Amino acid sequence: MQLCTGTSGNELLPNVATIGFFDGVHRGHRFLIEQVCKVAAERGLASSVITFPVHPRKVMQPDFRPELLTTCDEKVSLLAGTGIDYCIMLDFTLDLACLSAKQFMAILKQDYRVQVLMIGYDHRFGHNRSEGFEDYVRYGQELGIEVLLAQAYYTDAMTVSSSAIRRLLLQGNVSEAANCLGYQFFLDGTVVNGYRVGRKIGFPTANLRIGDCEKLVPADGVYAVYVFLGGEKHAGMLSIGYRPTLNNGIDRSIEVHIFNFDADIYNQPMRLSFVCRTRPELKFDSIDELIAQLHKDEAQAKKAERDLERIRPLYEQNAASRLDLDNAVAAYETAKASVNMSKADVDQAEQELSYTIVRSPISGQISERHVDLGTIVGTEGKSLLATIVKSDTVLVDFSMTALDYLKSKERNVIIGQRDSTRSWQPTVSITLPDNSVY
């Protein structure tokens, strides 16, 4: 990916572009970018995202403090992994904010060689965001820009947006946030000196100072995390909060106990990648009670990390298939909802969805939208399940009714369930129907 930060992009190739702040570069963003790349390939054009280094609202309201899912550098790094050709980084200024949508589109055409502009679902731009998609199409016809409306990204559980993910993180629900992001939320920073109390009670910790004060920090509590230091990955448990048992006062700390690790890492860069929250922050009556709880926290964190590692190979091996599955689900739902689609069109979309599920061992992604496939295909749900279990391995998060159906098939299945906070928790891999454990 080429990063374009200058005032002009005339050196760029003619391209298909989309606009947004892209905080977090979450699964909805990736679905949009996948559509941009697809159209670009069909047109023989380059692909680009147009974004900004600073949150636009901060420019308009200087006192606004954004709680960012990703810093600008992190966002660029994540965008580089999407397959996009160009990241056009525009300075969002008051002058830019005053431009109408048509004026802004004229700049994109003249300075950045945008030939096709894909508008994200429900996205608006231009002064006061007063204009809509039909206006953009009309302006495009006048300027020589083809304007397309992107397919919406659907999920059964919730609307995937940067705002929704922020709410999840502020609730401590990092596992559901990871489902929406498509990766584990992380904090980057530097290891700094702390109070050194942890070492005295058998749990030495590394204190993290975050590199960007505008980066969101999840809710106070204890988390299972992965720690990245010097190119190496370690497991650990993290405490965020005010350490009430130790009377930490008003200082909020971010400190991690790294399992089976003892080295001097002060002033070194460190990344914390969140697996799940194991409990909220609590005040104990004594240090001995705190120590006893820390041993329980350690065991729980290690179990959560083992469970994640058990299914990680499926996710990593089939990362690309998630986009295939997203596309197939969206196409099916569009066909199902459209009054203009013939039954043959709907059947074709359903067949493609079935084929995509069978091709993808991460079939559980479907259940993040539909807890039971019957929700999407009604009476056809059972036959679609029959298609799914023809594959060797599937990842499922279905209702018990669906599990009972799967138990009648001799297939390997990874079982998961949603907890009380609707976080998806992987449990065990089983072979059906013999030696079934769940």
Side-chain angles (χ1 to χ4, degrees):
M1 181 187 79
Q2 180 180 335
L3 178 62
C4 179
T5 58
T7 56
S8 176
N10 285 325
E11 74 279 7
L12 303 183
L13 296 172
N15 61 89
V16 180
T18 190
I19 309 167
F21 186 59
F22 295 102
D23 187 25
V25 194
H26 54 64
R27 289 175 62 187
H29 293 145
R30 291 167 188 267
F31 184 58
L32 169 60
I33 292 170
E34 173 74 5
Q35 295 175 69
V36 170
C37 292
K38 182 179 179 182
V39 171
E42 292 172 347
R43 304 283 202 281
L45 300 171
S47 57
S48 65
V49 294
I50 299 165
T51 189
F52 314 98
V54 178
H55 197 291
R57 185 176 167 188
K58 188 176 180 182
V59 175
M60 305 302 293
Q61 302 174 17
D63 294 336
F64 172 69
R65 182 182 176 275
E67 293 178 300
L68 298 175
L69 301 177
T70 46
T71 66
C72 184
D73 287 345
E74 291 166 356
K75 175 169 69 175
V76 170
S77 178
L78 288 166
L79 286 171
T82 64
I84 203 79
D85 293 317
Y86 301 129
C87 175
I88 301 171
M89 189 72 68
L90 300 182
D91 286 329
F92 192 90
T93 63
L94 291 175
D95 288 341
L96 185 65
C98 290
L99 295 178
S100 67
K102 184 177 181 180
Q103 289 171 323
F104 183 58
M105 289 173 64
I107 291 174
L108 298 184
K109 173 71 173 181
Q110 179 178 340
D111 293 347
Y112 298 96
R113 306 188 71 184
V114 173
Q115 305 295 307
V116 181
L117 183 62
M118 181 166 287
I119 308 298
Y121 177 74
D122 205 26
H123 179 74
R124 290 173 178 263
F125 62 92
H127 182 60
N128 291 331
R129 303 175 68 186
S130 58
E131 297 151 301
F133 178 73
E134 292 182 356
D135 298 308
Y136 307 148
V137 172
R138 188 171 68 256
Y139 302 151
Q141 290 171 344
E142 297 173 9
L143 295 168
I145 298 176
E146 181 182 2
V147 179
L148 304 176
L149 182 62
Q151 218 169 31
Y153 181 78
Y154 292 102
T155 175
D156 177 56
M158 61 179 293
T159 299
V160 175
S161 67
S162 299
S163 297
I165 295 170
R166 289 187 198 103
R167 288 193 293 270
L168 289 170
L169 292 171
L170 291 172
Q171 296 165 4
N173 195 346
V174 295
S175 51
E176 186 70 14
N179 283 340
C180 296
L181 287 167
Y183 60 89
Q184 292 165 332
F185 181 74
F186 59 87
L187 294 175
D188 283 347
T190 305
V191 180
V192 297
N193 287 315
Y195 293 94
R196 299 179 184 268
V197 176
R199 185 170 296 277
K200 297 176 182 177
I201 61 176
F203 289 89
T205 59
N207 289 260
L208 182 73
R209 182 176 62 206
I210 297 176
D212 190 328
C213 64
E214 293 183 346
K215 178 80 181 248
L216 183 149
V217 177
D220 294 346
V222 177
Y223 297 84
V225 295
Y226 288 113
V227 184
F228 295 87
L229 281 163
E232 296 184 350
K233 173 183 171 183
H234 309 270
M237 64 178 185
L238 172 72
S239 173
I240 299 176
Y242 299 91
R243 308 196 312 169
T245 306
L246 302 173
N247 298 316
N248 206 41
I250 61 173
D251 295 329
R252 192 185 191 203
S253 62
I254 303 171
E255 52 184 333
V256 60
H257 171 64
I258 308 173
F259 301 144
N260 306 314
F261 183 85
D262 185 15
D264 183 358
I265 55 175
Y266 288 115
N267 299 317
Q268 290 190 26
M270 179 170 69
R271 169 171 290 189
L272 302 177
S273 179
F274 289 75
V275 176
C276 68
R277 189 186 193 212
T278 57
R279 66 171 174 87
E281 184 175 53
L282 301 171
K283 182 174 182 178
F284 299 93
D285 293 332
S286 68
I287 295 296
D288 288 340
E289 284 188 17
L290 171 61
I291 294 172
Q293 180 60 50
L294 289 175
H295 283 290
K296 295 177 183 177
D297 294 337
E298 181 177 14
Q300 192 170 355
K302 287 181 176 178
K303 181 182 183 302
E305 287 151 358
R306 285 196 305 270
D307 288 343
L308 181 62
E309 289 303 316
R310 188 178 293 128
I311 66 169
R312 183 185 296 279
L314 282 176
Y315 279 3
E316 292 181 345
Q317 180 183 356
N318 297 282
S321 356
R322 298 187 204 183
L323 288 172
D324 292 338
L325 195 54
D326 290 337
N327 287 328
V329 170
Y332 178 82
E333 291 186 335
T334 299
K336 196 78 170 176
S338 175
V339 295
N340 297 320
M341 288 285 188
S342 66
K343 184 178 185 303
D345 292 330
V346 175
D347 290 344
Q348 177 63 34
E350 181 187 337
Q351 185 179 47
E352 178 58 30
L353 175 58
S354 301
Y355 289 160
T356 304
I357 293 171
V358 172
R359 288 197 302 267
S360 172
I362 59 161
S363 301
Q365 294 292 325
I366 190 74
S367 62
E368 292 179 13
R369 298 162 176 72
H370 314 283
V371 176
D372 186 332
L373 279 178
T375 305
I376 184 173
V377 291
T379 57
E380 302 155 4
K382 191 170 183 178
S383 63
L384 191 51
L385 276 173
T387 304
I388 292 173
V389 297
K390 291 177 184 177
S391 64
D392 293 332
T393 306
V394 293
L395 181 64
V396 296
D397 173 22
F398 298 130
S399 66
M400 286 308 299
T401 302
L403 288 180
D404 289 340
Y405 181 77
L406 287 169
K407 283 172 64 178
S408 67
K409 307 295 179 183
E410 294 185 9
R411 294 291 179 265
N412 296 320
V413 182
I414 294 178
I415 301 295
Q417 60 186 12
R418 290 193 182 277
D419 61 21
S420 58
T421 64
R422 289 191 61 76
S423 296
W424 192 82
Q425 300 293 337
T427 52
V428 294
S429 177
I430 66 174
T431 299
L432 302 173
D434 298 325
N435 303 320
S436 296
V437 180
Y438 59 91

